[in-house]
Amino acid sequence: MSMTTTNAAGEATMHGLAPGRYSAFARGGDLATQESALFEVSADETTDVDLLLEPGVTLIVSLKTKSDEAVPPTGVLVLDREGFDVSRRIGIGDMQYGQAHPLYERRFGPLPAGSYKIVAESPSGLKGKRRVTLDSGSEKRVTIVLK
């Protein structure tokens, strides 16, 4: 994982990447991009990658048991349609300022519009999953019932 910020024109340069295959994404404010296709980075060459920021959606996940008991959402993954784990994407603002949220919900994003699979597991081993489609809008709330 690497992180950088863009200049006023929205351009960024990453130095020191080892040769290999990479993908990229970007987010800023309420905007997000889809994960790029894999691209090749070669030694001593410049590789350009274009990303399009679009309005994103914050996914808010809550967990509960069949008996309607709230469960802290500690073991939640969000996978995009390609199977990339997007639940650990954070920005510099998230790290600098943190985010105070209720104990029984977890926020992801902003995420680009699209289809996602949410997979959850409680510390006691209860599991649940749900597919969700994110369209336009600033937030989408999802509750997963663990069994």
Side-chain angles (χ1 to χ4, degrees):
M1 179 180 114
S2 295
M3 188 181 311
T4 189
T5 56
T6 61
N7 62 21
E11 302 167 331
T13 302
M14 304 241 2
H15 296 283
L17 290 175
R21 295 179 61 119
Y22 294 88
S23 65
F25 75 93
R27 61 176 242 197
D30 293 334
L31 303 173
T33 68
Q34 298 287 343
E35 185 91 16
S36 74
L38 289 174
F39 56 89
E40 192 75 32
V41 171
S42 302
D44 301 322
E45 290 185 18
T46 298
T47 303
D48 291 328
V49 178
D50 291 321
L51 301 171
L52 176 63
L53 284 166
E54 298 178 308
V57 180
T58 299
L59 177 62
I60 303 169
V61 177
S62 300
L63 306 178
K64 67 179 183 177
T65 64
K66 289 194 303 186
S67 60
D68 210 34
E69 178 184 341
V71 177
T74 56
V76 179
L77 295 177
V78 179
L79 308 173
D80 70 9
R81 69 177 183 268
E82 302 297 324
F84 286 112
D85 179 1
V86 299
S87 54
R88 291 175 176 79
R89 291 182 178 176
I90 59 171
I92 290 174
D94 300 328
M95 294 183 346
Q96 288 176 332
Y97 306 110
Q99 294 181 337
H101 300 296
L103 175 64
Y104 293 104
E105 70 180 34
R106 175 106 186 264
R107 292 174 176 253
F108 301 94
L111 299 173
S115 297
Y116 296 88
K117 180 180 180 181
I118 306 167
V119 180
E121 183 172 356
S122 73
S124 64
L126 297 173
K127 297 179 182 180
K129 61 185 172 182
R130 184 168 170 188
R131 293 200 176 274
V132 64
T133 299
L134 301 181
D135 296 315
S136 61
S138 60
E139 293 182 349
K140 177 155 186 154
R141 292 183 175 273
V142 175
T143 299
I144 297 177
V145 178
L146 302 177
K147 301 174 187 172

